[in-house]
Amino acid sequence: MGQIIIDGGARLQGTVTVGGAKNAALKEMVAAILVPGRHQLNNVPDIADVALMGELLSHIGCRLQREGTTLWIVSPERLNPEAPLELVRKMRASIVVLGPLLARCGEARVALPGGDDLGARPIDMHLEGLQQMGASFRLSHGVLEGEALNGLTGAEIELSFPSVGATENLMLAGVAAKGETIIVNAAREPEIVDLARHLNAMGASVTGEGTPMLHVTGTPNLSPAEHTVIPDRLEAGTYAIAGAITGGDVTVTGCSPTLLRMELSKLEDAGCQVRKGEDWLRIEGPERPQPIDFVTLPYPGFHTDLHPQMVALLTVASGTSIVTENLYDSRFRYVGELARMGADISIESQHAVIRGKPELSGCPVLAPDIRAGAALVLAGLRAEGTTVVGDVHHIDRGYNGLVDKLRAMGAAIARSD
Ligand code: EPU
């Protein structure tokens, strides 16, 4: 399934450019379901999850064409309102087609996504919100069958947790529903703000994006639009930590440092020197990082998807760090792989205690998910000897050209498929 082979010890030096944000692009692709015509997205990353979302949209009836980082999606008059299990299983984000399919077609059949490597990951808030908007659901042989024969109607929906996916599903449904939808305790992630901008460019009225109270007014007059996806803050953060863990000097361009405020400030606490401009950041890593504590939280808190990379950094800190994971119940699965490299980490429910060691030692490890896979590559950059990271298809879901980009900055890294 592909391996990344790293000879550790090189100090990274140079510049790396990040692509468009996976977690914005995927939902902005889904927006094409809402209205027939030719939609254009710019700065779309060339990663496996985008290809999977393309397959799902093709199954629904759309035609896709890609040139460089521009993606055109032609949405037809009549859709096949269905998301099959083989695609939903590979990518849980497929669930965001549910709301817009119900709004546009009055029906949808979406295979129920099970749990995944990060935990149980229920979708109760998506379903309860859509039910408040007039949809009804029944589960038949593992497939969720939704119906809203008279269309969806706006409602005031209070989320018990600011779920990114539930907020997006309800926004996508709300722009094509009748009347106003208010989402209370909405997620505030920058990718949601970007989706709101895209929907507004399509003629929707979404206000309050980036705050916990979103107002979405439905309209029958949506039209296709052109939109440029925001930069990927998780890719940018991953390269920043790559600079930090190798004691290197890395400049990340094409990014938005303001979207990484908490993470960069924690890197400073760990002894890194961080400089930044509007669309670049430069990080110089210390010989050995200082220990730090952090807690993952919804935006603007420390992003859970940079947690494993940061833990990789802290395995070589000059003291003990404590990391608390609040988003996922099984995010720590990768810790066993880091332990094989010599890391000293103990887990107590959602807390990890990381006792920093002077060095890691390279060995074969397996990537359990996208971000933990990236963390193992970063650990390999620092480790003495050779690290072989297997199951790299997980990494391909969210990173384009990780190996080439790290090699261009001096890493001794190669890929074998
Ligand atoms: N949750 C529920 N019920 C729901 C919805 C969510 O209990 O109805 C729980 C989840 O189980 C989880 C927590 O709430 O424990 C957060 O889930 P959320 O819905 O916010 O996350 P998501 O939409 O499933 C997106 C990203 C993730 C990222 C999270 C948090 C996409 C495609 N995925 O997932 O990204 O970790 O938000 O920021 O946008 C990644 O890129 O590697 C990745 C996993």
Side-chain angles (χ1 to χ4, degrees):
M1 293 297 259
Q3 294 181 329
I4 293 177
I5 303 124
I6 310 139
D7 280 326
R11 208 177 145 254
L12 295 193
Q13 249 178 323
T15 299
V16 59
T17 302
V18 298
K22 165 175 91 74
N23 293 343
L26 292 175
K27 326 307 164 57
E28 288 159 3
M29 289 170 73
V30 168
I33 290 177
L34 292 167
V35 59
R38 195 167 194 257
H39 303 251
Q40 180 174 339
L41 287 173
N42 306 319
N43 201 29
V44 177
D46 190 5
I47 51 175
D49 272 13
V50 163
L52 280 173
M53 186 57 89
E55 270 184 57
L56 175 55
L57 292 178
S58 302
H59 183 89
I60 287 171
C62 300
R63 280 186 295 117
L64 289 88
Q65 189 199 340
R66 184 175 183 124
E67 246 180 66
T69 58
T70 300
L71 181 69
W72 290 274
I73 305 172
V74 179
S75 185
E77 290 292 336
R78 280 179 65 84
L79 298 175
N80 169 30
E82 186 183 83
L85 181 61
E86 64 268 24
L87 291 174
V88 176
R89 265 225 176 106
K90 284 188 198 151
M91 189 182 55
R92 295 186 84 271
S94 309
I95 191 68
V96 291
V97 300
L98 186 60
L101 281 179
L102 281 168
R104 169 106 185 263
C105 309
E107 57 169 334
R109 290 176 301 283
V110 176
L112 196 66
D116 68 1
D117 300 317
L118 301 175
R121 305 187 73 180
I123 52 162
D124 51 317
M125 285 185 263
H126 301 236
L127 301 186
E128 281 162 23
L130 291 169
Q131 276 164 341
Q132 277 183 261
M133 296 174 78
S136 60
F137 296 101
R138 79 183 191 115
L139 185 63
S140 173
H141 306 291
V143 176
L144 198 57
E145 295 178 345
E147 221 174 55
L149 293 181
N150 300 318
L152 294 175
T153 309
E156 180 165 330
I157 301 161
E158 205 167 305
L159 300 180
S160 55
F161 178 87
S163 154
V164 171
T167 302
E168 292 164 338
N169 223 335
L170 298 171
M171 261 167 89
L172 284 159
V175 295
K178 291 182 212 91
E180 191 185 29
T181 300
I182 301 173
I183 308 173
V184 182
N185 198 23
R188 290 181 279 164
E189 268 63 10
E191 292 73 21
I192 288 183
V193 175
D194 200 49
L195 175 62
R197 285 195 194 126
H198 177 42
L199 292 171
N200 285 341
M202 291 171 67
S205 163
V206 180
T207 58
E209 67 273 26
T211 79
M213 182 88 93
L214 265 173
H215 288 255
V216 183
T217 309
T219 168
N221 299 321
L222 295 171
S223 55
E226 177 182 344
H227 176 76
T228 298
V229 179
I230 50 163
D232 197 315
R233 61 193 166 115
L234 302 173
E235 194 190 5
T238 301
Y239 290 120
I241 301 172
I245 200 170
T246 60
D249 181 355
V250 165
T251 301
V252 186
T253 58
C255 65
S256 285
T258 50
L259 306 183
L260 281 168
R261 220 174 247 132
M262 178 64 77
E263 294 81 2
L264 292 177
S265 118
K266 288 289 173 187
L267 283 167
E268 284 178 325
D269 293 347
C272 300
Q273 193 186 108
V274 178
R275 275 167 281 180
K276 50 196 180 232
E278 203 186 322
D279 60 356
W280 61 270
L281 67 92
R282 180 174 173 186
I283 183 156
E284 287 174 77
E287 271 296 298
R288 211 175 155 190
Q290 307 282 331
I292 54 161
D293 299 339
F294 71 90
V295 171
T296 65
L297 284 171
Y299 189 81
F302 193 102
H303 202 308
T304 179
D305 291 340
L306 287 170
H307 141 179
Q309 300 90 317
M310 198 69 159
V311 167
L313 173 70
L314 297 176
T315 60
V316 291
S318 57
T320 300
S321 307
I322 299 178
V323 170
T324 302
E325 168 60 41
N326 284 315
L327 274 289
Y328 294 119
D329 46 19
S330 302
R331 174 123 253 180
F332 285 122
R333 281 188 190 161
Y334 67 93
V335 157
E337 299 300 290
L338 277 180
R340 301 193 64 249
M341 300 177 73
D344 181 353
I345 306 176
S346 35
I347 305 292
E348 192 59 58
S349 73
Q350 80 267 41
H351 310 287
V353 178
I354 305 136
R355 292 173 202 85
K357 299 258 221 77
E359 278 313 330
L360 296 172
S361 110
C363 67
V365 287
L366 290 178
D369 64 76
I370 308 176
R371 309 302 167 188
L376 291 168
V377 171
L378 301 194
L381 292 174
R382 171 74 187 220
E384 182 265 316
T386 304
T387 300
V388 179
V389 182
D391 283 351
V392 296
H393 60 279
H394 287 295
I395 300 176
D396 294 338
R397 292 186 53 192
Y399 294 91
N400 172 21
L402 179 76
V403 166
D404 292 342
K405 288 178 178 181
L406 290 173
R407 197 192 298 114
M409 293 192 289
I413 187 167
R415 177 167 178 143
S416 81
D417 279 305

